[in-house]
Amino acid sequence: MDLELQRKYFPEGTNGSVLYHQRWLCHTIELPWVANKAHVSCIPEGRYLIKERRSQRFGRHLVLCKVPQRNLILIHAANNARKELRGCIAPVVQLTGPGTGLRSRPALKRLEHVVFSALDKGEAVYLTIKSFVSS
């Protein structure tokens, strides 16, 4: 399964949309681009394998693999990138500004449903992150 995250960059944060077969699944919020600096920057554009991870704190959740110079890049709920993220990606239903959005938990559940369904069938799931280019 291949998902695509199309991003727009702003000084205050990064906004995006996740697409599956060119259909919108959710928006995303992230920290602004700060040269891939850990804990203060979104991750570099590229193609990443998404795997399941389990922890006591988050239960079953999603992690991006082999992010250059970074580790534990999770996909988890948050509505304000600067206040709640340290390099991770947060799905949201609605964008409200650069790096901010609303209704993250329902967006996360929607995305997890699609990804976990594929993972449970033994499929590899990839997320390709790139800049949004308007036509």
Side-chain angles (χ1 to χ4, degrees):
M1 166 186 284
D2 285 295
L3 302 173
E4 184 175 292
L5 171 53
Q6 297 181 352
R7 283 178 171 165
K8 289 185 182 180
Y9 300 92
F10 303 95
E12 306 84 19
T14 302
N15 294 350
S17 293
V18 176
L19 306 174
Y20 176 54
H21 290 300
Q22 301 301 318
R23 294 180 64 194
W24 179 85
L25 278 180
C26 62
H27 292 297
T28 61
I29 59 169
E30 299 173 72
L31 292 168
W33 174 251
V34 187
N36 196 31
K37 190 173 178 184
H39 309 295
V40 297
S41 176
C42 60
I43 63 173
E45 293 181 9
R47 186 170 190 250
Y48 301 101
L49 180 66
I50 298 176
K51 286 197 170 181
E52 173 184 336
R53 182 174 181 270
R54 292 179 189 260
S55 72
Q56 286 228 246
R57 181 176 178 194
F58 295 113
R60 186 181 190 199
H61 58 280
L62 302 171
V63 62
L64 275 66
C65 301
K66 297 184 180 178
V67 176
Q69 302 158 8
R70 306 282 285 278
N71 61 2
L72 287 179
I73 301 300
L74 307 179
I75 298 174
H76 66 82
N79 292 303
N80 185 309
R82 288 213 187 250
K83 292 180 181 177
E84 301 172 87
L85 298 179
R86 297 191 55 179
C88 297
I89 299 171
V92 294
V93 171
Q94 180 182 347
L95 296 167
T96 58
T100 62
L102 298 173
R103 301 182 57 223
S104 187
R105 290 199 190 283
L108 178 62
K109 285 188 185 297
R110 179 182 170 121
L111 182 61
E112 284 180 337
H113 175 75
V114 170
V115 174
F116 286 144
S117 293
L119 291 175
D120 290 345
K121 293 177 197 168
E123 292 179 44
V125 179
Y126 290 91
L127 178 67
T128 299
I129 302 173
K130 60 186 185 179
S131 293
F132 175 77
V133 179
S134 60
S135 47

